Structures are given as structure tokens and as C-alpha cells.
């Protein structure tokens, strides 16, 4: 549920220790937006510590959470490759520390550093391969099954992520989520 990429994070830590000064560390507070949908940015971000949500907002103000991102996950890279406005918004859920790198330096590393390039391409392949099974599972199983799967993968689910965000991640209403959580709680108390 909360995706991570320790291998990429470890490599960026190595680059920083080698005094490759392409990365700037920044911090964000919970609920602070780092990227807004349909805006232009000139940096890629890699999460050093914390959790964010990546989401789309429709014309009615409904949010659909694409994914939750943790350590080592990057965002803003799709815009580097496409040259378009940001596709999603990224908002901090917990205190967040990121490495920020300009598009120019990101592209330079992609062209000059084979290991960095391989890690970025691998991360993009994983990101793509993650989407279809997740959406398929959510459509093929009951809300209850989906909640149980999420809790199995991330036991502190409702302690870290708001119920509203969980509902938006699952593509359901908050009311439906609360109904299922109460049903599961009743089952567990019997």
C-alpha cells in the first residue's frame, strides 16, 4: 500500500556523500502540498523520510488517490519525460523530508550515470506494473476483502492514514468505508 524504493534512496545517499551537489534537502509538514495538479514544476523529488499521497482531483472536487509514497519513491519525473503540466497533486501525510533535484540535473544524471538511469527506469516499470493489479483487485473483490488486504499489508493503516484518504484510495464513499470498518470491528469483538 505504501510504496517504497530503498535501493534508489540508498544510491542517492551515496551520491550525496560523494559531494554530488545536485540534491537539496527540503522538509514539509503534514497536509502541505508539494506539487499541485495541472501546474508546471522544474524539480523531481525523492522521499527521504515520511509518507505522501498522490491524487487526482476531478472537476467536482472529488479526489482519487493513485498511491501512497514512502521512502525512496520519486515524484515529478513523469513531467520531466513528458514536458507537460503535473498530472497529480502530491501532499504530505506525515512530516516529510525529500531530496529535490532540478530537471536539468536529473536529466544529466540519467544520461551520465548508468546506475542512476537503471534505478529510475526500474522504479518506473514497478510503478506501471503496480497500477493494473491494484485496480483489478479493488474491482474484483468486496470492500471488506480490500480493507482486510490493506490491513494485512499495513497494520497501522487507520492510525497513519485518514479514513477519508483510505476511502479515496479505494474509490468508495467515506460512509461505505465506515460501514465496513464497523462490520469488521463487530466480527473481531465476537
Amino acid at each position: 500500500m505504501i510504496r517504497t524504493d530503498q535501493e534508489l534512496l540508498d544510491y542517492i545517499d551515496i551520491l550525496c556523500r560523494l559531494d554530488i551537489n545536485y540534491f537539496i534537502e527540503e522538509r514539509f509538514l503534514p497536509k502541505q502540498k508539494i506539487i499541485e495538479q495541472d501546474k508546471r514544476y522544474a524539480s523531481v523529488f525523492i522521499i527521504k523520510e515520511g509518507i505522501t499521497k498522490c491524487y487526482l482531483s476531478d472537476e467536482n472536487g472529488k479526489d482519487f488517490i493513485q498511491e501512497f509514497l514512502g521512502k525512496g519513491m520519486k515524484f515529478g519525473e513523469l513531467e520531466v519525460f513528458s514536458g507537460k503540466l503535473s498530472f497529480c497533486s502530491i501532499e504530505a501525510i506525515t512530516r516529510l523530508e525529500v531530496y529535490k533535484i532540478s530537471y536539468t540535473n536529473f536529466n544529466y544524471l540519467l544520461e551520465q550515470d548508468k546506475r542512476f538511469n537503471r534505478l529510475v527506469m526500474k522504479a518506473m516499470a514497478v510503478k506501471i506494473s503496480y497500477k493494473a493489479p491494484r485496480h483489478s483487485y479493488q474491482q474484483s473483490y468486496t470492500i471488506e476483502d480490500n480493507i482486510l488486504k490493506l490491513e494485512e499489508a499495513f497494520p497501522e493503516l487507520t492510525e497513519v492514514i485518514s479514513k477519508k484518504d483510505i476511502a479515496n484510495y479505494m474509490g468508495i464513499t467515506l460512509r461505505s468505508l465506515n460501514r465496513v470498518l464497523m462490520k469488521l470491528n463487530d466480527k473481531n469483538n465476537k
Side-chain angles (χ1 to χ4, degrees), residues 12 20 24 49 52 59 63 72 97 109 122 151 156:
I12 290 170
I20 296 183
I24 299 166
E49 190 70 46
T52 67
E59 60 278 353
D63 294 337
E97 292 180 46
L109 281 176
K122 180 180 174 186
E151 286 179 335
E156 58 275 3

Side-chain angles (χ1 to χ4, degrees), residues 2-187:
I2 296 175
R3 302 193 47 244
T4 61
D5 187 344
Q6 192 63 48
E7 188 177 13
L8 178 61
L9 183 60
D10 290 345
Y11 189 63
I12 290 170
D13 286 338
I14 289 168
L15 292 176
C16 289
R17 278 182 289 186
L18 294 173
D19 283 334
I20 296 183
N21 298 318
Y22 296 155
F23 299 95
I24 299 166
E25 289 188 44
E26 289 191 2
R27 290 177 173 74
F28 298 92
L29 296 173
K31 299 188 186 263
Q32 194 171 358
K33 279 191 183 175
I34 299 103
I35 290 181
E36 290 187 49
Q37 184 176 325
D38 296 326
K39 303 258 177 168
R40 188 164 306 281
Y41 293 90
S43 299
V44 174
F45 300 83
I46 300 96
I47 298 172
K48 183 176 180 183
E49 190 70 46
I51 300 170
T52 67
K53 62 180 176 180
C54 172
Y55 64 97
L56 295 165
S57 298
D58 69 15
E59 60 278 353
N60 298 320
K62 173 102 172 105
D63 294 337
F64 177 72
I65 297 178
Q66 295 285 313
E67 56 191 337
F68 295 101
L69 306 172
K71 286 182 176 184
M73 293 303 291
K74 62 190 175 352
F75 52 90
E77 80 282 6
L78 296 178
E79 293 76 10
V80 169
F81 297 117
S82 70
K84 297 187 178 192
L85 300 177
S86 58
F87 180 67
C88 293
S89 293
I90 304 287
E91 183 179 312
I93 292 178
T94 64
R95 288 185 176 271
L96 190 70
E97 292 180 46
V98 297
Y99 288 116
K100 179 178 167 181
I101 181 171
S102 71
Y103 282 5
T104 302
N105 289 333
F106 186 79
N107 277 319
Y108 178 80
L109 281 176
L110 286 174
E111 292 170 6
Q112 301 299 318
D113 186 326
K114 288 181 182 181
R115 182 167 180 208
F116 182 78
N117 186 302
R118 184 185 60 77
L119 290 170
V120 168
M121 293 301 120
K122 180 180 174 186
M124 289 184 72
V126 169
K127 185 182 272 191
I128 292 166
S129 67
Y130 169 79
K131 298 270 191 227
R134 181 190 144 224
H135 295 298
S136 175
Y137 190 90
Q138 283 183 339
Q139 291 176 4
S140 300
Y141 292 90
T142 66
I143 296 171
E144 186 175 326
D145 288 333
N146 281 292
I147 293 290
L148 291 171
K149 184 176 181 181
L150 289 175
E151 286 179 335
E152 180 182 322
F154 189 61
E156 58 275 3
L157 177 70
T158 55
E159 296 166 25
V160 176
I161 299 172
S162 73
K163 287 182 181 180
K164 184 176 190 278
D165 283 347
I166 295 167
N168 288 344
Y169 178 74
M170 295 180 63
I172 61 174
T173 65
L174 184 56
R175 184 176 178 189
S176 295
L177 176 66
N178 281 326
R179 192 173 24 244
V180 170
L181 289 173
M182 281 178 47
K183 183 178 171 183
L184 288 172
N185 192 32
D186 289 345
K187 281 183 181 179

